[in-house]
Amino acid sequence: MAQSTTHTLPPPFNSSSTTPKPPLITQGAEALLYKTTYLTPSTPIALKHRPKKSYRHPTLDTRLTKARILAEARVLVKCKREGVVVPAVLGADWEEGWLACEWIEGKTIRAALDGYLKRDVGEEADLRGEGVRGLMGRIGVVLAKLHGIGVVHGDLTTSNLMVRQLEREGDGLESLSLGENREKGLEGEVVIIDFGLATQSVQDEDRAVDLYVLERAFGSTHPQAEGLFEEVLRVYGESYKGAKVVLRRLEDVRLRGRKKSMIG
Amino acid sequence: MIALGLEGSANKLGIGLISHPAQGKPPIILANLRHTYHAPPGSGFLPKETAKHHRSWIVRLVKQTLQQTGITPSQISCICYTKGPGMGAPLQSVAVAARTIALLWGLEDKLIGVNHCVGHIEMGRAITRASNPVVLYVSGGNTQVIAYSHYRYRIFGEALDIAIGNCLDRFARALNIPNDPAPGYNIEQLAKGGKELVDLPYAVKGMDCSFSGILAWVEGLADRLASDENDSRADRLKTEEGKVVTPADLCFSLQETVFAMLVEITERAMAHVGAEQVLIVGGVGCNERLQQMMGLMARERGGSVYATDERFCIDNGIMIAQAGLLAYGTGVRGTVEDSETTQRFRTDEVYIGWRERDG
Amino acid sequence: MSAGSELKLPHLEAYPVHVSLFQDVTNAEFLKRQLLEGNAEYEYAFLDATTIISVNHVLAAVFRAINDSIHNRLKSRNVHSEIVFSLSPNNNIAESFRRFGVSDTTNTLLAIKVLNAPNSAVTRLDPASHLGSCVEGNRIEFSDENLKHSADLPRIRKIYKLNSSDNSKSKGKSAKSESTTNGVHNEAHELKEMEAVILGIMALKGS
């Protein structure tokens, strides 16, 4: 991924203070993500910063940044209110272009599946295993809930879904077998993150496209796990009234793909 | 090898003659002639009149090309023409000419149909030497963000409704801005005198964008523009700060907004594929403000922007010759029988056999 | 967190914050009057702890107030009044004082002072000792445990328009492991969820 030449944190995160300099976690086209602490030294957050774009007219730049930070924050708060598992919003400054969200400790679905699917030569991952099917089901439930409250994520990939392990007493991981370890990696609460492209919509088309984007992501990052996504859709379809209509719409979206016609 | 290229998918008729002297050597442009059909101000060019224009100029231009360069038909390896996409009648009129020339010169099985967009990309690459850039293709009929991968020019983002050039042309019409030399050029010049930024609808959706919203907005307000900054009529369009908006201001605001949208979707594609270079092709790519904005974005990412001048960014015959000759060099052939044209022809439908699989 | 010690919010270490929590306060009326009369020795944010749910709830308001102060975006008189204002979901300053500020009948009081606040008169008073002398009540630890006891949850839900049934109803639907369905964990979880929504509402205020 191309690196930006310089990136400065917005105030007050840029002051030389006793808090260590927040490390950059990822950089997208739109925003930079840092990990730091907020409110107390023991509260970790993901700090999302939308830096000023020098190519944009300053008035337009401020307007867009503000609109996008607010849109994302509003969607996250709406999700929180309605019980959809997403990071909490702890603070924001739309003039400086930053959003402070709860840090989710866990791994992405992508990493969880990678861990589960990678086997030695000759060994095949059990795609019908309860653990992995259960995880797919939980994804279906969470997506159904999201769509059910009128939110469309806009950028569903296996990197924007996480599994967060819940507190458990008992065995340290060392005492588990490799197989049990693999299963354990699939356990936990599914958390949806990165709502930078989310919109509030109840349109079947938008919901179907949301699912389609995730389906394509599954297909390209985990090609050997093709059948798994069906479980996501099956559970999704049973989770809210109107979900079946969305699934039918999904079939149309698949056919269209990106084959929009061009007129010269 | 020498190729003749004929382009006429819109209102520009272009004839080009290009030479590929040897493997690995840069192409040599032998001739690049063009004549543009201009519709009167307030209207757009229509297929029938455009085709008529092409028919009446093509023989002249081809003859001039041969005279200018001293090249004879026997030295020419293939005839390249725009297969599509574009307007039906103009495309067909040029194709008829291409077939005729091919038959006359004994090249009836060396008639190469070229995708107009691929032509722009290959000419851009040849002129600027950008090796593997993300390409922003912006013209009257097309708006696409393209990146090369595995023998195809893949479309990462595009305008979902109308092309940027079309949007600019119609905007010019709404404000009665002249079409000569080009509506977009005249908007650009007017914009230089504008300074008030009007709040216009900004429509980027993921990797795509759309222009019909902003167009509808400006068309609706065109007759409320102030004549100058001292226009004190009460009903005149004003910014949030209360300043009146002149045509120059609206041109300025439109450019700042739609170009920002284009730069944004280009940046998203660059982040997605990890590219640093951007190449702008197509008529709208001549716009200096767009080039400047793209350059600022590219530099912030540690990269650079490439663009060609009006000889190549505006539709021309040489780009058709270039792309056609590249294809011909890999063994592509074509006959008069299968030399039809098509109004719809997606960039990713073409097999790019002359490039390496990974770049 | 020991009673009356200074807190340094990450990234705002230049503005240390003193927070003291008092229970069984008997002179709330007097303290409120000092504020109304603009007594310079009483530049504090005095909050009624019944509308405070947790430590983070307070600190989020403090962060916002200091941040807005640094950016010259204060909507109220000073950073201390801004702390009270920042707790409110809407832009009505008077209402925020009525809801969150100290009232004549306040029993559990939260006193906050921002040190080195921009545009603030330099104070020579040590907040801990000053408060110790002027507040008639028992100082207790500023902690989630203590704040939970004094919090009036139905009132807080009403102010922030939270629907208690929504939260718990939906939790049942999403798959969770058994450990969170036992009674104790559930209550802590619910409070955490409430806090999360409240902080989000506060972050969006004024947008």
Side-chain angles (χ1 to χ4, degrees), chain A residues 11-13 15 17-19 36-41 70 73-74 77 80-83 88-96 98 138 145 166-167 189, chain C residues 9-13 56 59-60 63-64 67 71 73 160-162 167 170-171 173-177 179 193 196-197 199-201 203-207:
Chain A
F13 302 96
S15 58
S17 58
T18 46
T19 310
T36 187
T37 52
Y38 188 73
L39 303 185
T40 71
L70 285 177
R74 286 193 181 113
V77 175
K80 240 338 165 187
R81 267 189 189 279
E82 313 264 7
V89 171
L90 281 77
D93 184 339
W94 49 84
E95 279 176 28
E96 289 287 357
W98 62 259
R138 295 202 296 288
K145 180 92 220 202
L166 300 163
E167 279 137 41
E189 183 175 44
Chain C
L9 270 62
H11 309 289
L12 292 179
E13 293 88 348
N56 279 348
L59 296 184
F63 191 101
R64 176 141 184 183
N67 191 38
H71 283 87
R73 294 191 299 232
Y160 291 106
K161 297 195 175 64
L162 304 179
N167 254 323
S170 56
K171 282 289 158 266
K173 278 235 166 93
S174 60
K176 283 215 162 25
S177 78
S179 63
E193 290 296 293
V197 179
L199 259 55
I201 292 170
L204 286 171
K205 191 262 243 327
S207 65

Side-chain angles (χ1 to χ4, degrees), chain B residues 68-112:
Chain B
Q68 233 176 258
T69 57
I71 301 286
T72 62
S74 59
Q75 294 172 272
I76 294 178
S77 317
C78 58
I79 308 297
C80 313
Y81 71 100
T82 309
K83 188 182 190 67
M87 297 170 93
L91 278 172
Q92 281 167 46
S93 62
V94 173
V96 166
R99 288 171 206 142
T100 311
I101 293 169
L103 285 164
L104 280 173
W105 296 354
L107 295 170
E108 60 265 29
D109 55 346
K110 299 192 171 82
L111 185 54
I112 315 292

